[in-house]
Tab-separated table of all heavy atoms in Angstrom:
chain	number	residue	atom	x	y	z
A	135	SER	N	0.837	-1.193	0.000
A	135	SER	CA	0.000	0.000	0.000
A	135	SER	C	0.877	1.250	0.000
A	135	SER	O	1.877	1.314	0.724
A	135	SER	CB	-0.895	0.010	1.241
A	135	SER	OG	-1.488	1.283	1.426
A	136	PRO	N	0.505	2.277	-0.784
A	136	PRO	CA	1.246	3.548	-0.717
A	136	PRO	C	1.234	4.157	0.676
A	136	PRO	O	2.099	4.973	1.009
A	136	PRO	CB	0.501	4.439	-1.725
A	136	PRO	CG	-0.180	3.487	-2.652
A	136	PRO	CD	-0.555	2.311	-1.811
A	137	ASP	N	0.250	3.774	1.494
A	137	ASP	CA	0.144	4.329	2.844
A	137	ASP	C	1.077	3.658	3.842
A	137	ASP	O	1.111	4.053	5.017
A	137	ASP	CB	-1.295	4.201	3.352
A	137	ASP	CG	-2.272	5.011	2.520
A	137	ASP	OD1	-1.860	6.050	1.968
A	137	ASP	OD2	-3.446	4.605	2.411
A	138	ILE	N	1.825	2.654	3.394
A	138	ILE	CA	2.661	1.895	4.322
A	138	ILE	C	3.729	2.768	4.966
A	138	ILE	O	4.172	2.514	6.080
A	138	ILE	CB	3.300	0.685	3.604
A	138	ILE	CG1	3.898	-0.294	4.620
A	138	ILE	CG2	4.369	1.122	2.620
A	138	ILE	CD1	4.397	-1.571	3.990
A	139	ALA	N	4.153	3.827	4.251
A	139	ALA	CA	5.205	4.696	4.782
A	139	ALA	C	4.669	5.771	5.713
A	139	ALA	O	5.461	6.438	6.399
A	139	ALA	CB	5.974	5.341	3.635
A	140	ASN	N	3.360	5.965	5.760
A	140	ASN	CA	2.788	7.000	6.625
A	140	ASN	C	3.051	6.677	8.092
A	140	ASN	O	2.703	5.593	8.572
A	140	ASN	CB	1.283	7.129	6.390
A	140	ASN	CG	0.953	7.647	5.010
A	140	ASN	OD1	1.820	8.171	4.305
A	140	ASN	ND2	-0.308	7.506	4.602
A	141	GLY	N	3.673	7.615	8.785
A	141	GLY	CA	3.992	7.403	10.183
A	141	GLY	C	5.380	6.869	10.423
A	141	GLY	O	5.829	6.774	11.570
A	142	MET	N	6.080	6.485	9.364
A	142	MET	CA	7.452	6.020	9.505
A	142	MET	C	8.338	7.184	9.951
A	142	MET	O	8.213	8.298	9.446
A	142	MET	CB	7.938	5.455	8.166
A	142	MET	CG	9.316	4.844	8.204
A	142	MET	SD	9.727	4.050	6.625
A	142	MET	CE	9.631	5.437	5.494
A	143	THR	N	9.233	6.952	10.887
A	143	THR	CA	10.044	8.024	11.446
A	143	THR	C	11.517	7.814	11.135
A	143	THR	O	11.953	6.741	10.728
A	143	THR	CB	9.873	8.101	12.974
A	143	THR	OG1	10.512	6.956	13.577
A	143	THR	CG2	8.401	8.124	13.364
A	144	ASP	N	12.288	8.866	11.379
A	144	ASP	CA	13.732	8.798	11.169
A	144	ASP	C	14.422	7.910	12.188
A	144	ASP	O	15.623	7.648	12.068
A	144	ASP	CB	14.345	10.206	11.225
A	144	ASP	CG	13.920	11.061	10.041
A	144	ASP	OD1	13.475	10.474	9.047
A	144	ASP	OD2	14.019	12.300	10.132
A	145	ALA	N	13.667	7.447	13.179
A	145	ALA	CA	14.263	6.544	14.164
A	145	ALA	C	14.580	5.181	13.567
A	145	ALA	O	15.427	4.444	14.092
A	145	ALA	CB	13.327	6.385	15.361
A	146	LEU	N	13.913	4.853	12.467
A	146	LEU	CA	14.201	3.587	11.800
A	146	LEU	C	15.551	3.659	11.105
A	146	LEU	O	15.936	4.717	10.598
A	146	LEU	CB	13.124	3.268	10.763
A	146	LEU	CG	11.789	2.735	11.260
A	146	LEU	CD1	10.812	2.649	10.104
A	146	LEU	CD2	11.954	1.379	11.912
A	147	PRO	N	16.279	2.555	11.042
A	147	PRO	CA	17.527	2.543	10.272
A	147	PRO	C	17.269	2.946	8.830
A	147	PRO	O	16.209	2.657	8.254
A	147	PRO	CB	17.978	1.089	10.376
A	147	PRO	CG	17.346	0.566	11.623
A	147	PRO	CD	16.029	1.279	11.716
A	148	GLU	N	18.248	3.631	8.233
A	148	GLU	CA	18.071	4.161	6.887
A	148	GLU	C	17.767	3.070	5.882
A	148	GLU	O	16.945	3.256	4.976
A	148	GLU	CB	19.328	4.923	6.462
A	148	GLU	CG	19.204	5.577	5.083
A	148	GLU	CD	20.439	6.342	4.684
A	148	GLU	OE1	21.428	6.304	5.444
A	148	GLU	OE2	20.427	6.973	3.603
A	149	PHE	N	18.403	1.903	6.011
A	149	PHE	CA	18.181	0.854	5.019
A	149	PHE	C	16.751	0.339	5.053
A	149	PHE	O	16.192	-0.035	4.026
A	149	PHE	CB	19.186	-0.297	5.180
A	149	PHE	CG	19.049	-1.105	6.443
A	149	PHE	CD1	18.156	-2.163	6.523
A	149	PHE	CD2	19.845	-0.840	7.549
A	149	PHE	CE1	18.041	-2.929	7.669
A	149	PHE	CE2	19.737	-1.595	8.701
A	149	PHE	CZ	18.830	-2.649	8.766
A	150	ILE	N	16.109	0.350	6.252
A	150	ILE	CA	14.706	-0.070	6.324
A	150	ILE	C	13.822	0.981	5.662
A	150	ILE	O	12.913	0.654	4.889
A	150	ILE	CB	14.278	-0.297	7.788
A	150	ILE	CG1	15.058	-1.460	8.394
A	150	ILE	CG2	12.783	-0.582	7.864
A	150	ILE	CD1	14.683	-1.777	9.824
A	151	ARG	N	14.079	2.262	5.959
A	151	ARG	CA	13.287	3.324	5.330
A	151	ARG	C	13.408	3.251	3.808
A	151	ARG	O	12.415	3.386	3.083
A	151	ARG	CB	13.761	4.699	5.823
A	151	ARG	CG	13.547	4.930	7.305
A	151	ARG	CD	13.557	6.420	7.656
A	151	ARG	NE	14.733	7.102	7.136
A	151	ARG	CZ	15.903	7.184	7.785
A	151	ARG	NH1	16.038	6.592	8.971
A	151	ARG	NH2	16.918	7.850	7.266
A	152	ASN	N	14.631	3.005	3.318
A	152	ASN	CA	14.838	2.935	1.872
A	152	ASN	C	14.058	1.792	1.256
A	152	ASN	O	13.497	1.911	0.154
A	152	ASN	CB	16.323	2.795	1.553
A	152	ASN	CG	17.100	4.075	1.809
A	152	ASN	OD1	16.504	5.148	1.905
A	152	ASN	ND2	18.406	3.963	1.946
A	153	ARG	N	13.995	0.680	1.943
A	153	ARG	CA	13.297	-0.471	1.396
A	153	ARG	C	11.787	-0.261	1.400
A	153	ARG	O	11.086	-0.655	0.473
A	153	ARG	CB	13.684	-1.741	2.160
A	153	ARG	CG	14.991	-2.310	1.658
A	153	ARG	CD	15.749	-3.075	2.729
A	153	ARG	NE	16.954	-3.654	2.151
A	153	ARG	CZ	18.029	-2.940	1.828
A	153	ARG	NH1	18.045	-1.641	2.010
A	153	ARG	NH2	19.089	-3.531	1.304
A	154	ILE	N	11.289	0.372	2.442
A	154	ILE	CA	9.855	0.644	2.477
A	154	ILE	C	9.482	1.653	1.409
A	154	ILE	O	8.482	1.485	0.693
A	154	ILE	CB	9.457	1.117	3.885
A	154	ILE	CG1	9.608	-0.052	4.870
A	154	ILE	CG2	8.026	1.649	3.898
A	154	ILE	CD1	9.449	0.336	6.317
A	155	LEU	N	10.274	2.685	1.274
A	155	LEU	CA	10.007	3.664	0.226
A	155	LEU	C	10.165	3.031	-1.156
A	155	LEU	O	9.423	3.357	-2.093
A	155	LEU	CB	10.956	4.854	0.384
A	155	LEU	CG	10.707	5.714	1.638
A	155	LEU	CD1	11.809	6.759	1.792
A	155	LEU	CD2	9.343	6.377	1.584
A	156	GLY	N	11.115	2.120	-1.282
A	156	GLY	CA	11.250	1.388	-2.542
A	156	GLY	C	10.022	0.570	-2.854
A	156	GLY	O	9.596	0.464	-4.012
A	157	GLY	N	9.413	-0.004	-1.789
A	157	GLY	CA	8.177	-0.744	-1.995
A	157	GLY	C	7.039	0.137	-2.474
A	157	GLY	O	6.219	-0.275	-3.292
A	158	VAL	N	6.990	1.357	-1.973
A	158	VAL	CA	5.967	2.298	-2.426
A	158	VAL	C	6.172	2.622	-3.905
A	158	VAL	O	5.212	2.638	-4.693
A	158	VAL	CB	6.011	3.578	-1.566
A	158	VAL	CG1	5.085	4.633	-2.149
A	158	VAL	CG2	5.616	3.265	-0.120
A	159	LEU	N	7.420	2.874	-4.310
A	159	LEU	CA	7.704	3.152	-5.719
A	159	LEU	C	7.361	1.945	-6.588
A	159	LEU	O	6.823	2.093	-7.692
A	159	LEU	CB	9.183	3.520	-5.890
A	159	LEU	CG	9.585	4.925	-5.427
A	159	LEU	CD1	11.099	5.072	-5.431
A	159	LEU	CD2	8.947	5.988	-6.316
A	160	THR	N	7.667	0.757	-6.095
A	160	THR	CA	7.338	-0.458	-6.834
A	160	THR	C	5.837	-0.556	-7.070
A	160	THR	O	5.372	-0.879	-8.166
A	160	THR	CB	7.839	-1.699	-6.067
A	160	THR	OG1	9.240	-1.581	-5.854
A	160	THR	CG2	7.559	-2.969	-6.834
A	161	SER	N	5.058	-0.257	-6.028
A	161	SER	CA	3.607	-0.290	-6.155
A	161	SER	C	3.124	0.770	-7.139
A	161	SER	O	2.225	0.517	-7.951
A	161	SER	CB	2.961	-0.071	-4.780
A	161	SER	OG	1.557	-0.060	-4.875
A	162	MET	N	3.712	1.952	-7.096
A	162	MET	CA	3.327	3.017	-8.018
A	162	MET	C	3.592	2.620	-9.463
A	162	MET	O	2.887	3.041	-10.383
A	162	MET	CB	4.080	4.299	-7.674
A	162	MET	CG	3.643	4.946	-6.365
A	162	MET	SD	4.707	6.344	-5.907
A	162	MET	CE	4.422	7.442	-7.316
A	163	ALA	N	4.606	1.790	-9.669
A	163	ALA	CA	4.924	1.323	-11.018
A	163	ALA	C	4.008	0.187	-11.452
A	163	ALA	O	4.134	-0.315	-12.581
A	163	ALA	CB	6.380	0.868	-11.082
A	164	GLY	N	3.113	-0.255	-10.575
A	164	GLY	CA	2.197	-1.334	-10.911
A	164	GLY	C	2.758	-2.709	-10.663
A	164	GLY	O	2.191	-3.711	-11.124
A	165	LEU	N	3.854	-2.789	-9.906
A	165	LEU	CA	4.523	-4.065	-9.665
A	165	LEU	C	4.280	-4.559	-8.243
A	165	LEU	O	4.141	-3.763	-7.307
A	165	LEU	CB	6.034	-3.919	-9.876
A	165	LEU	CG	6.527	-3.887	-11.317
A	165	LEU	CD1	7.960	-3.373	-11.372
A	165	LEU	CD2	6.432	-5.271	-11.949
A	166	PRO	N	4.241	-5.871	-8.060
A	166	PRO	CA	4.172	-6.427	-6.707
A	166	PRO	C	5.512	-6.271	-6.000
A	166	PRO	O	6.535	-5.957	-6.619
A	166	PRO	CB	3.832	-7.899	-6.951
A	166	PRO	CG	4.388	-8.179	-8.310
A	166	PRO	CD	4.223	-6.910	-9.095
A	167	PHE	N	5.494	-6.542	-4.717
A	167	PHE	CA	6.645	-6.280	-3.868
A	167	PHE	C	7.589	-7.469	-3.735
A	167	PHE	O	8.779	-7.287	-3.508
A	167	PHE	CB	6.134	-5.874	-2.474
A	167	PHE	CG	7.187	-5.323	-1.559
A	167	PHE	CD1	7.708	-4.056	-1.764
A	167	PHE	CD2	7.643	-6.058	-0.477
A	167	PHE	CE1	8.657	-3.526	-0.907
A	167	PHE	CE2	8.591	-5.540	0.383
A	167	PHE	CZ	9.106	-4.272	0.172
A	168	ASN	N	7.068	-8.687	-3.864
A	168	ASN	CA	7.842	-9.872	-3.509
A	168	ASN	C	8.158	-10.706	-4.737
A	168	ASN	O	7.320	-11.480	-5.211
A	168	ASN	CB	7.072	-10.707	-2.474
A	168	ASN	CG	7.851	-11.932	-2.038
A	168	ASN	OD1	9.032	-12.056	-2.302
A	168	ASN	ND2	7.172	-12.833	-1.359
A	169	MET	N	9.366	-10.594	-5.242
A	169	MET	CA	9.763	-11.309	-6.446
A	169	MET	C	10.166	-12.760	-6.170
A	169	MET	O	10.450	-13.515	-7.092
A	169	MET	CB	10.921	-10.578	-7.133
A	169	MET	CG	10.520	-9.240	-7.698
A	169	MET	SD	9.370	-9.410	-9.087
A	169	MET	CE	8.365	-7.938	-8.885
A	170	ASP	N	10.174	-13.168	-4.901
A	170	ASP	CA	10.523	-14.544	-4.555
A	170	ASP	C	9.295	-15.450	-4.484
A	170	ASP	O	9.414	-16.647	-4.289
A	170	ASP	CB	11.270	-14.573	-3.211
A	170	ASP	CG	11.836	-15.947	-2.901
A	170	ASP	OD1	12.579	-16.483	-3.741
A	170	ASP	OD2	11.535	-16.485	-1.811
A	171	ALA	N	8.091	-14.863	-4.641
A	171	ALA	CA	6.857	-15.640	-4.675
A	171	ALA	C	6.391	-15.757	-6.125
A	171	ALA	O	7.118	-15.437	-7.057
A	171	ALA	CB	5.804	-14.974	-3.793
């Protein structure tokens, strides 16, 4: 969901924030998140 990043704070490690934001971009592109399924 694009809303998954809402409420995320800078207290999270940067690599986690990057991955969540990457998931939002993936969804915006019309792609699913999990390429291992």
Side-chain angles (χ1 to χ4, degrees):
S135 167
D137 296 330
I138 193 173
N140 294 345
M142 184 174 60
T143 71
D144 292 341
L146 283 173
E148 183 179 4
F149 67 85
I150 295 181
R151 296 200 308 273
N152 288 342
R153 278 151 177 74
I154 292 171
L155 292 173
V158 172
L159 285 170
T160 303
S161 178
M162 290 173 62
L165 283 165
F167 191 73
N168 182 13
M169 293 292 147
D170 188 55

